[in-house]
Amino acid sequence: GINAEYMGFVQTFKCWENELEWVDKLIKHDIRNNSAWNYRFFLFEVFVLQSKDPWDSVQSEIKYAYDAITKAPHNESPYSYLIGVVCSSDANLVNAINIVLPLMSVLVQSNPNCPFPLSTIIHLQDKWAKKSSKDKQLDLWNSNSELSAKLSSIDKIRVKYWSYLEAHYRSCSSSIIKD
């Protein structure tokens, strides 16, 4: 399996050749293999973020993750991978978010009881809000409050978490309105 020792070995001895192809085979064999998704992100950070044009790779990995999500929309791993990819593209964060949000909206429509597209939207909008004007923050935090409330009714396992986030985003919105 893929563990920290393996990743350390590959990184120390620079045994990168064919690693991306290998992890792609692991994911295709079992799209729910969380370890393979984690290793793909490790490779993404090593290769992509150090490349000359990381934006092309970010866009490619967004497509890769989205394709996997459409095959298994109730699998949390590719959503987590997608969030990591988008949030790692600091220079193009808003561009990446603007690619992903409409894709997540489509998934919300086709999978209304799946919490992962909504939680992905919340996570990305939160990142976006932290880099935005107060007016944009207000819009994003109001949206996140509404989405958190919706998730409270969909995701019964994390209902307290979503209720907490709903209150948190309402508080964030209130603090902007008071300013």
Side-chain angles (χ1 to χ4, degrees):
I2 303 166
N3 58 32
E5 289 90 14
Y6 180 79
M7 293 184 337
F9 175 83
V10 169
Q11 190 169 24
T12 300
F13 295 104
K14 312 249 185 275
C15 304
W16 304 113
E17 191 173 332
N18 301 320
E19 286 298 298
L20 204 52
E21 293 83 12
W22 178 68
V23 79
D24 183 50
K25 286 179 188 176
L26 290 175
I27 290 171
K28 285 181 179 168
H29 175 71
D30 179 7
I31 206 159
R32 290 171 177 79
N33 184 340
N34 190 52
S35 296
W37 282 102
N38 287 336
Y39 188 58
R40 186 172 183 96
F41 188 71
F42 168 76
L43 294 172
F44 170 79
E45 286 183 308
V46 169
F47 287 124
V48 174
L49 298 180
Q50 297 173 9
S51 69
K52 291 178 183 171
D53 189 7
W55 177 236
D56 283 344
S57 298
V58 166
Q59 291 176 88
S60 174
E61 291 304 298
I62 287 172
K63 182 182 179 335
Y64 183 88
Y66 183 73
D67 289 347
I69 289 168
T70 60
K71 292 175 185 155
H74 292 273
N75 175 22
E76 190 171 7
S77 295
Y79 291 97
S80 297
Y81 178 78
L82 179 62
I83 290 167
V85 166
V86 170
C87 292
S88 69
S89 67
D90 200 45
N92 290 297
L93 180 68
V94 174
N95 292 335
I97 289 172
N98 281 323
I99 292 170
V100 173
L101 290 182
L103 299 175
M104 292 300 108
S105 294
V106 168
L107 288 167
V108 168
Q109 296 304 315
S110 59
N111 300 281
N113 293 319
C114 182
F116 307 123
L118 289 171
S119 65
T120 300
I121 292 169
I122 289 171
H123 191 92
L124 295 179
Q125 288 186 160
D126 185 69
K127 290 288 187 189
W128 189 0
K130 291 174 181 165
K131 295 187 169 282
S132 297
S133 68
K134 289 194 184 261
D135 288 341
K136 186 66 177 176
Q137 283 178 339
L138 185 61
D139 291 343
L140 293 169
W141 285 337
N142 284 336
S143 172
N144 278 2
S145 179
E146 291 171 19
L147 294 174
S148 296
K150 185 173 182 177
L151 276 164
S152 292
S153 65
I154 294 171
D155 187 359
K156 297 300 182 189
I157 293 172
R158 299 176 190 100
V159 68
K160 289 183 179 181
Y161 173 71
W162 298 121
S163 295
Y164 163 78
L165 277 186
E166 178 187 2
H168 168 74
Y169 287 119
R170 267 199 322 262
S171 173
C172 291
S173 296
S174 294
S175 69
I176 287 179
I177 293 169
K178 288 178 185 175
D179 287 346

